[in-house]
Amino acid sequence: KYLIYLYKNILSMIGITKALTQDFVRKAPKIELHAHLNGCVRRQTLFEIAQRKQINVDLSIFDLRNIKGAFSIFSLIHQVLRDLQDIRRVSREVLEDFRDQNVAYLELRTTPKSCELGTYTKEQYLNTVIDEIQKFQQQYGDKMQARLLVSIDRGRPLEDAQSTLNHILKLKNNNIIVGLDFSGNPSKSTFKEYEQLLEQARKEGFKITIHVAELEGEEYLQESFDIVNFKPDRLGHFNFYNQDLYSKVRQLNIPIEMCPTSNFYTVNMKSLSEHHFKEFFYQGHTINLNTDDTCVFDTDITQEHFKMIQAFNLSEDEFKSLLVRSSNMIFDQAYKPLLQQRINEYFSTSKN
Ligand code: 6MZ
């Protein structure tokens, strides 16, 4: 261990730092904080279940990897996963996929929902996801710790969000749910309509993360100020902002969950080097990198890190700093010391 440490230090002292390899990034203990369960279904599983249920899948929707296209993929996924056993299978597979990417700590999020065909209730849906996470914890907890964020979908009525909150208040002490996420199609409603409910959740002790400034436009900019003024524990995406909004987020020091590939398509970037990562990372802001929806954006957490490492030519120390910052923004702070220990060990013992 000491020799590797010495070797790396000598190299960096004489200015020879090797570009990080994909293998080094894949094996590193990574942290995923922004992944939507149904957006992360394996494509193969989706097609297989659809075929079994004789649901026709229009493959062309997978070519449109922008936010509008993403929402048509979600409707398809919700339409295909009609049975509780599908939810169980997908939950297990998604957990396995993140584990196999060497994620050390995962916060998975999902919108509790009933099936339109009446095959499961919202409570059954949520209990199934929690049950799969608990089983996973027992079996693989030493490799990957998994927690759940309950999503409030702004495309669904407020009453739906209220019934979700009432339900999770009963489950407060299960050690799996660590917070609430506010997501969904930004054009469907306003943050203000849900603000009171989110405040209620916060008073009940839930941490809050909110999708913000995902789309461009004056109305979304105004809304972003409302969201930032609410002071959520974390922000998701934060693609579009002006100087005032940027300064506010910097000053309040609200951590940002960035999703490079998803943001790339939503913002319509020419290259990832345009990503707003640069306006936060080099200022020391607390940020992390995530997949958002592995199925929709055809990605994984290694790629999300590796692409940004390449786009910004990040060094090993910068990569480590990124992971340490990610560990500072996890909602289950009790796990932080162990997570940081795993990160430190990896960088002091592994060779790039
Ligand atoms: C906003 C998103 C999203 O909850 O059924 N979702 N909301 N922006 C995004 N960026 C592209 N990606 C996913 O997972 C799918 C749901 O997550 C939200 C949407 O509400 C979508 O229906 P669950 O597990």
Side-chain angles (χ1 to χ4, degrees):
K1 278 187 193 178
Y2 183 69
L3 282 179
I4 293 174
Y5 175 78
L6 208 63
Y7 163 80
K8 280 189 200 164
N9 269 340
I10 292 170
L11 286 185
S12 80
M13 269 187 310
I14 55 175
I16 304 173
T17 39
K18 218 172 116 202
L20 294 177
T21 64
Q22 188 154 359
D23 191 52
F24 184 76
V25 177
R26 195 182 64 75
K27 288 180 183 150
K30 293 174 290 299
I31 295 157
E32 166 73 73
L33 303 177
H34 190 129
H36 299 268
L37 174 62
N38 285 301
C40 291
V41 55
R42 290 180 192 160
R43 287 189 182 192
Q44 202 191 344
T45 298
L46 182 69
F47 298 152
E48 186 197 308
I49 298 177
Q51 196 179 31
R52 189 158 20 94
K53 294 183 181 169
Q54 297 180 325
I55 299 169
N56 194 27
V57 176
D58 172 10
L59 288 175
S60 72
I61 62 172
F62 288 93
D63 293 337
L64 299 166
R65 274 180 265 154
N66 56 28
I67 188 161
K68 240 174 96 201
F71 284 102
S72 38
I73 300 180
F74 299 136
S75 333
L76 169 75
I77 296 171
H78 293 148
Q79 198 201 329
V80 171
L81 306 181
R82 286 181 184 167
D83 297 296
L84 216 45
Q85 70 203 45
D86 303 333
I87 306 301
R88 191 171 283 290
R89 173 176 172 186
V90 169
S91 305
R92 198 192 60 240
E93 288 181 353
V94 168
L95 290 164
E96 286 169 358
D97 289 349
F98 282 112
R99 177 204 61 196
D100 294 345
Q101 289 289 323
N102 294 304
V103 167
Y105 176 92
L106 165 73
E107 284 175 19
L108 190 62
R109 56 185 75 189
T110 196
T111 321
K113 52 182 91 59
S114 56
C115 178
E116 282 167 16
L117 302 174
T119 49
Y120 54 82
T121 63
K122 193 196 259 200
E123 284 76 13
Q124 286 173 320
Y125 176 95
L126 188 59
N127 292 343
T128 302
V129 177
I130 292 175
D131 187 48
E132 278 307 310
I133 297 180
Q134 278 168 334
K135 276 202 241 158
F136 185 90
Q137 285 284 114
Q138 278 167 10
Q139 225 180 332
Y140 302 108
D142 54 340
K143 186 150 170 48
M144 180 178 89
Q145 286 285 309
R147 304 287 184 273
L148 184 67
L149 301 176
V150 171
S151 296
I152 301 294
D153 178 357
R154 59 193 290 174
R156 292 168 188 259
L158 182 61
E159 302 81 68
D160 187 72
Q162 189 65 59
S163 90
T164 298
L165 179 59
N166 295 344
H167 183 63
I168 61 169
L169 285 175
K170 294 186 228 145
L171 303 174
K172 237 171 142 183
N173 296 320
N174 69 2
N175 297 325
I176 297 291
I177 302 175
V178 289
L180 251 76
D181 151 58
F182 184 62
S183 52
N185 191 334
S187 68
K188 296 286 181 195
S189 60
T190 64
F191 162 74
K192 279 281 172 201
E193 294 167 50
Y194 296 82
E195 184 171 12
Q196 249 188 337
L197 179 121
L198 293 167
E199 189 55 59
Q200 189 195 345
R202 174 151 69 185
K203 286 211 177 91
E204 292 288 350
F206 290 108
K207 302 256 191 200
I208 313 278
T209 173
I210 302 189
H211 282 55
V212 61
E214 211 177 346
L215 300 181
E216 192 171 24
E218 195 49 44
E219 70 276 31
Y220 298 121
L221 185 65
Q222 270 317 312
E223 177 178 91
S224 302
F225 276 101
D226 293 339
I227 293 174
V228 171
N229 284 330
F230 178 82
K231 302 195 186 86
D233 298 281
R234 294 197 312 241
L235 299 170
H237 302 298
F238 202 65
N239 293 333
F240 296 101
Y241 47 85
N242 61 15
Q243 187 56 44
D244 282 354
L245 190 61
Y246 174 79
S247 307
K248 203 160 188 108
V249 169
R250 290 280 298 120
Q251 180 211 333
L252 292 170
N253 207 10
I254 310 179
I256 306 174
E257 309 151 0
M258 295 180 170
C259 306
T261 306
S262 163
N263 302 155
F264 174 87
Y265 287 111
T266 310
V267 175
N268 203 5
M269 295 175 202
K270 285 195 186 67
S271 112
L272 266 177
S273 58
E274 292 170 22
H275 197 281
H276 49 295
F277 171 89
K278 61 180 175 301
E279 275 143 42
F280 291 92
F281 182 74
Y282 299 106
Q283 273 66 29
H285 200 87
T286 307
I287 57 168
N288 90 317
L289 303 181
N290 307 278
T291 55
D292 204 8
D293 301 287
T294 53
C295 174
V296 178
F297 300 109
D298 196 15
T299 188
D300 61 50
I301 190 71
T302 301
Q303 282 191 58
E304 292 306 302
H305 283 85
F306 193 59
K307 281 182 188 176
M308 293 300 264
I309 285 167
Q310 289 192 309
F312 292 97
N313 200 12
L314 299 184
S315 68
E316 193 175 318
D317 282 350
E318 286 172 322
F319 176 39
K320 182 180 174 189
S321 157
L322 185 57
L323 296 184
V324 172
R325 288 186 219 185
S326 312
S327 72
N328 285 329
M329 55 196 270
I330 67 173
F331 280 169
D332 188 351
Q333 285 283 304
Y335 191 64
K336 192 167 120 173
L338 215 62
L339 193 52
Q340 296 197 331
Q341 192 186 326
R342 284 186 67 177
I343 297 169
N344 284 331
E345 259 170 30
Y346 183 74
F347 284 88
S348 58
T349 57
S350 305
K351 198 166 167 296
N352 175 41

